[in-house]
Amino acid sequence: MKNFLRNVRIIFLKDVRSELRTRYVINSLLMFVLVTISIIRFAIGDEKIEDEILTGLLWISIFFSASGGLARTFVKEEEKETSSALKLSASPTEIFVGKLFFNLVLTFILNFLILILFILITEYNIKNPLLFISVLSLGNIGLVAASTIIAAIISKANSKGTLYPVLSFPVLLPLLLTVINATKLASAGINSAEIMGEIRILVSYTVVVITVSVMLFPFVWED
Amino acid sequence: MNNIFKYSVFVIISLVIITGIVLPIPNIPALGDKARVLYFHVPMSWISVVAFVMSLWYAVRYLKTKEITYDIKSFSAAQLGFLFCVLATATGSLWAKFNWGSFWNWDPRQTSIFILLLIYGAYFALRSAIDAEEQRARLSSVYAIIAGITMPFFIFIMPRLVETLHPDPIINNSGKINMDTTMLIIFLTSLLGFTLLFLWVMNLKVRLELLKYRKSLKQA
């Protein structure tokens, strides 16, 4: 167990270091976020948009920016031909968990940036910030859980870029429908039984997807 | 043996088509004669779900045993499931045009079948994007399982979004079957007939795919 945690940490740090060296994902994703938010800003113009629609727009930007960053996790190992070295140095589960943590950190930074920009440029009104942040975080974890295993699958396929949204959308749809509704309720300041139900679905979705991913990842990873 | 099976499927489905169209049905409020779609639409949806579960089951078997036969079965079930899913969508949509006034109005039932179609589409897209036989089998099995385990969440999510207008005479909340005896007999016969049809075509499809696979092995 101690060995496991150590290897997970090493994989995680390796990804952080290689990311900081190339800054490929960080730079391009920051620009992507900026571009998306500006498009939303210009599309809105001077209109007063209701908070419900803004929630939808927020999740559209989160989904697409996350798919830009998360899809790269395993593809970069294949492109730089480092996957064999990685295979030799750690067990599949350790690699998967390490990558999962790296993706989590990446999307958390990214999404809170999106949220801050979003609040700054639109008049997005969050009535229950604590609930909003917790729902957003739960949604993030679920998003990362499902995306990481899909990213591993597409890294072995031919048309990687186009395949990612195609494969991830049906799998992510239950999560997206739930989390959009929950953030809507939280931003409207409704703290009711309904939002607790949504949180229960989010938690169970995340647990189920992570469990199955950990079980199936060795099949994706082996050659 | 195979011939008897084939002809009995033919007889059962012909009977269903004739009796389903000719025999009078009791007057159901707001449905009327349009309720006849039930004989064809419900078996299609049933088979698309059965095929999906079969495909999932064979995907699990493949990952456990690594025998290519299971992958061929999983793929064949998915292909047939897709066909029946399209048929269920088409019959349902036609019925919706005459009962609800539009072909497509994002009723929860329509949304769920749309997602099922999306999953099938993504599965085929993934399969065509991988060249190596063994790798394709492995990755598509994994994808089928992941997509399969997220499907049950819709059972909890869909009812929260909007009330469905879909009539539910077969499995309703009280758990009783509210159907006229004649209708029930025709419906059950139809369910049997189409399920047998599915199994027969599935058998043909698997044999065909196996032959193709063996031929490709010989050429290689």
Side-chain angles (χ1 to χ4, degrees):
Chain A
M1 193 61 205
K2 209 176 159 194
N3 215 6
F4 176 81
L5 289 178
R6 208 201 64 181
N7 281 351
V8 166
R9 211 186 70 225
I10 291 173
I11 300 274
F12 172 75
L13 289 178
K14 171 230 140 217
D15 266 350
V16 171
R17 208 166 296 151
S18 87
E19 185 51 51
L20 288 178
R21 261 182 216 155
T22 56
R23 295 206 191 89
Y24 177 86
V25 175
I26 295 179
N27 280 345
S28 57
L29 278 189
L30 283 184
M31 286 314 291
F32 186 87
V33 168
L34 216 59
V35 169
T36 319
I37 304 250
S38 341
I39 289 174
I40 291 174
R41 175 72 190 87
F42 294 136
I44 292 174
D46 291 334
E47 303 279 340
K48 173 86 188 88
I49 303 276
E50 281 173 40
D51 283 349
E52 291 205 343
I53 296 172
L54 283 178
T55 313
L57 288 175
L58 174 70
W59 273 100
I60 292 176
S61 4
I62 290 180
F63 176 75
F64 282 106
S65 63
S67 67
L70 300 180
R72 299 263 326 147
T73 4
F74 288 96
V75 175
K76 74 178 178 211
E77 306 285 352
E78 297 291 328
E79 274 175 5
K80 292 187 182 147
E81 294 175 354
T82 46
S83 64
S84 317
L86 199 58
K87 254 169 224 163
L88 286 176
S89 39
S91 80
T93 318
E94 289 160 356
I95 294 169
F96 184 78
V97 178
K99 294 262 180 195
L100 193 73
F101 275 115
F102 175 72
N103 280 346
L104 266 178
V105 172
L106 192 74
T107 36
F108 262 87
I109 295 172
L110 206 68
N111 289 354
F112 281 96
L113 199 79
I114 293 178
L115 184 64
I116 291 166
L117 282 175
F118 215 79
I119 295 171
L120 285 179
I121 63 145
T122 63
E123 284 152 31
Y124 194 36
N125 202 352
I126 300 166
K127 296 218 175 77
N128 193 342
L130 195 68
L131 197 61
F132 187 89
I133 298 287
S134 29
V135 166
L136 195 74
S137 315
L138 276 177
N140 267 340
I141 299 173
L143 182 74
V144 171
S147 307
T148 309
I149 186 82
I150 304 274
I153 292 176
I154 58 154
S155 71
K156 315 272 177 170
N158 290 335
S159 49
K160 301 171 169 75
T162 45
L163 211 52
Y164 179 81
V166 171
L167 290 192
S168 64
F169 184 67
V171 174
L172 282 174
L173 204 55
L175 176 89
L176 289 176
L177 289 174
T178 318
V179 82
I180 288 172
N181 195 22
T183 36
K184 238 180 234 173
L185 292 171
S187 73
I190 302 166
N191 189 357
S192 62
E194 194 183 349
I195 200 161
M196 287 321 288
E198 305 287 17
I199 288 176
R200 238 172 271 145
I201 294 179
L202 284 182
V203 172
S204 55
Y205 176 91
T206 310
V207 171
V208 167
V209 170
I210 290 183
T211 316
V212 175
S213 304
V214 169
M215 282 165 69
L216 291 179
F217 183 70
F219 293 110
V220 179
W221 193 236
E222 74 186 45
D223 262 325
Chain B
M1 181 55 211
N2 211 358
N3 274 339
I4 301 170
F5 196 78
K6 192 161 74 183
Y7 291 125
S8 58
V9 167
F10 172 74
V11 171
I12 294 174
I13 291 183
S14 313
L15 264 177
V16 167
I17 292 173
I18 295 165
T19 51
I21 291 171
V22 172
L23 284 186
I25 61 169
N27 187 32
I28 303 165
L31 282 175
D33 271 333
K34 283 168 275 183
R36 289 179 200 275
V37 77
L38 153 99
Y39 299 139
F40 308 102
H41 171 66
V42 181
M44 301 300 155
S45 330
W46 155 252
I47 291 166
S48 63
V49 173
V50 167
F52 187 70
V53 174
M54 263 174 91
S55 162
L56 211 66
W57 166 247
Y58 285 126
V60 175
R61 297 288 306 149
Y62 173 75
L63 288 183
K64 271 190 169 167
T65 61
K66 294 285 160 67
E67 272 176 45
I68 201 79
T69 335
Y70 286 121
D71 177 59
I72 288 172
K73 281 180 180 168
S74 176
F75 175 56
S76 310
Q79 275 196 329
L80 284 175
F82 180 70
L83 175 71
F84 279 97
C85 201
V86 169
L87 286 175
T89 317
T91 48
S93 182
L94 268 177
W95 173 84
K97 172 70 184 167
F98 293 101
N99 229 62
W100 296 341
S102 73
F103 285 113
W104 201 264
N105 59 351
W106 296 105
D107 185 86
R109 294 301 185 93
Q110 289 178 324
T111 313
S112 13
I113 206 155
F114 171 69
I115 294 157
L116 194 55
L117 283 173
L118 275 185
I119 290 181
Y120 277 130
Y123 175 81
F124 297 135
L126 176 65
R127 284 193 77 97
S128 59
I130 308 169
D131 301 324
E133 193 93 40
E134 195 260 333
Q135 198 165 48
R136 185 200 305 143
R138 210 150 29 81
L139 295 180
S140 58
S141 298
V142 169
Y143 183 71
I145 294 169
I146 289 173
I149 56 140
T150 53
M151 271 307 269
F153 282 95
F154 287 105
I155 301 167
F156 306 109
I157 295 166
M158 279 303 158
R160 287 165 171 274
L161 296 177
V162 240
E163 280 293 303
T164 178
L165 296 168
H166 195 284
D168 222 347
I170 302 141
I171 304 160
N172 49 21
N173 289 334
S174 55
K176 282 190 200 124
I177 297 173
N178 309 320
M179 216 192 285
D180 177 69
T181 326
T182 336
M183 270 185 86
L184 189 65
I185 291 170
I186 300 174
F187 168 67
L188 289 179
T189 324
S190 165
L191 209 56
L192 175 78
F194 281 106
T195 310
L196 290 179
L197 177 75
F198 165 69
L199 292 177
W200 176 59
V201 182
M202 174 81 190
N203 180 26
L204 284 182
K205 174 86 192 154
V206 169
R207 276 157 55 199
L208 181 70
E209 292 291 330
L210 273 175
L211 284 178
K212 267 191 204 161
Y213 174 69
R214 290 202 189 108
K215 196 179 161 204
S216 75
L217 276 190
K218 245 178 228 167
Q219 278 168 349

